[in-house]
């Protein structure tokens, strides 16, 4: 997105018209401007950092309601993710992303432990990102029952990007 601009969303949609598109914007400030950009390119989902102010959250949700896009609130680096999720739900948020920081080390489940109560304490739809490999995908699905799993480095850093993406798709299905 940063290299190609929002026009890349339309190009991806033309190649894969049946696939949902997630744009990892991580909006934090300029919420109306950023949400208006997303309104223009119409991804299925885009992200906003959950640490944004309640006012910014409301502004983005207001713009998102004008399209069919859904905003996914990234919980990365929050001190109390469960409390924030409860507040986000009060504000009208429906989707969150449990995002394991890279500084949590290689143990994916240890990095996610503070987020596990979200499943039982909120009705929010959960996405998961950060350090996910083929071997951890099934474990994540069993524990969190996520709506979506965002795979970045495991595909982008693979020797054969296309083959890696196919393997993740097959495992996820």
């Amino acid at each position: 997105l940063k290299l190609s601009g929002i026009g890349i969303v339309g190009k991806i949609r033309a190649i894969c018209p049946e696939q949902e598109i997630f744009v990892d914007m991580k909006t934090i400030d300029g919420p109306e401007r950023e949400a208006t950009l997303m309104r223009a390119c119409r991804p299925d989902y885009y992200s906003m950092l959950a640490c944004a102010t309640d006012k910014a959250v409301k502004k983005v949700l207001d713009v998102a309601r004008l399209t069919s896009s859904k905003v996914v609130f990234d919980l990365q680096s929050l001190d109390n993710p469960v409390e924030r999720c409860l507040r986000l739900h009060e504000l009208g948020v429906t989707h969150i992303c449990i995002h394991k920081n890279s500084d949590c080390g290689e143990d994916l489940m240890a990095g996610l432990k503070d987020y596990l109560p979200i499943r039982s304490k909120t009705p929010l739809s959960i996405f998961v990102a950060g350090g996910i490999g083929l071997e951890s995908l099934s474990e994540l699905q069993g524990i969190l029952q996520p709506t979506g799993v965002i795979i970045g480095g495991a595909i982008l850093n693979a020797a054969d990007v296309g083959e890696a993406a196919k393997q993740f798709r097959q495992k996820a299905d």
Side-chain angles (χ1 to χ4, degrees):
L1 187 68
K2 290 179 182 176
L3 291 173
S4 303
I6 64 171
I8 194 69
V9 175
K11 291 176 184 177
I12 293 170
R13 193 163 309 282
I15 295 167
C16 309
E18 301 303 317
Q19 295 298 313
E20 292 183 316
I21 297 175
F22 177 90
V23 176
D24 198 10
M25 286 288 292
K26 289 190 176 78
T27 298
I28 184 72
D29 63 350
E32 289 170 301
R33 178 189 65 243
E34 299 281 321
T36 300
L37 284 173
M38 292 298 93
R39 182 178 176 204
C41 67
R42 295 185 180 270
D44 298 285
Y45 301 92
Y46 61 93
S47 67
M48 179 173 192
L49 293 176
C51 62
T53 65
D54 288 359
K55 185 176 179 181
V57 168
K58 288 178 188 176
K59 285 181 179 184
V60 166
L61 290 176
D62 286 345
V63 175
R65 284 185 191 101
L66 301 174
T67 67
S68 59
S69 294
K70 296 167 188 72
V71 185
V72 178
F73 288 81
D74 190 319
L75 303 175
Q76 187 173 23
S77 302
L78 288 179
D79 289 334
N80 191 333
V82 175
E83 182 180 306
R84 184 60 178 152
C85 283
L86 292 170
R87 177 63 183 143
L88 289 170
H89 180 62
E90 290 173 3
L91 295 171
V93 168
T94 55
H95 297 75
I96 54 100
C97 180
I98 295 173
H99 193 150
K100 181 186 97 49
N101 291 331
S102 58
D103 60 357
C104 291
E106 295 300 317
D107 186 347
L108 177 64
M109 296 318 287
L112 295 175
K113 69 178 173 15
D114 293 338
Y115 301 98
L116 297 178
I118 292 168
R119 168 57 60 217
S120 63
K121 294 187 178 198
T122 76
L124 298 172
S125 172
I126 295 175
F127 284 71
V128 184
I132 300 166
L134 276 172
E135 60 286 341
S136 59
L137 189 56
S138 295
E139 188 175 9
L140 277 172
Q141 290 171 318
I143 293 170
L144 292 170
Q145 302 92 40
T147 298
V149 179
I150 301 160
I151 311 295
I155 293 175
L156 295 174
N157 297 325
D160 184 336
V161 172
E163 182 58 31
K166 285 179 189 175
Q167 288 178 2
F168 274 101
R169 177 81 266 166
Q170 289 170 348
K171 183 103 174 184
D173 289 343

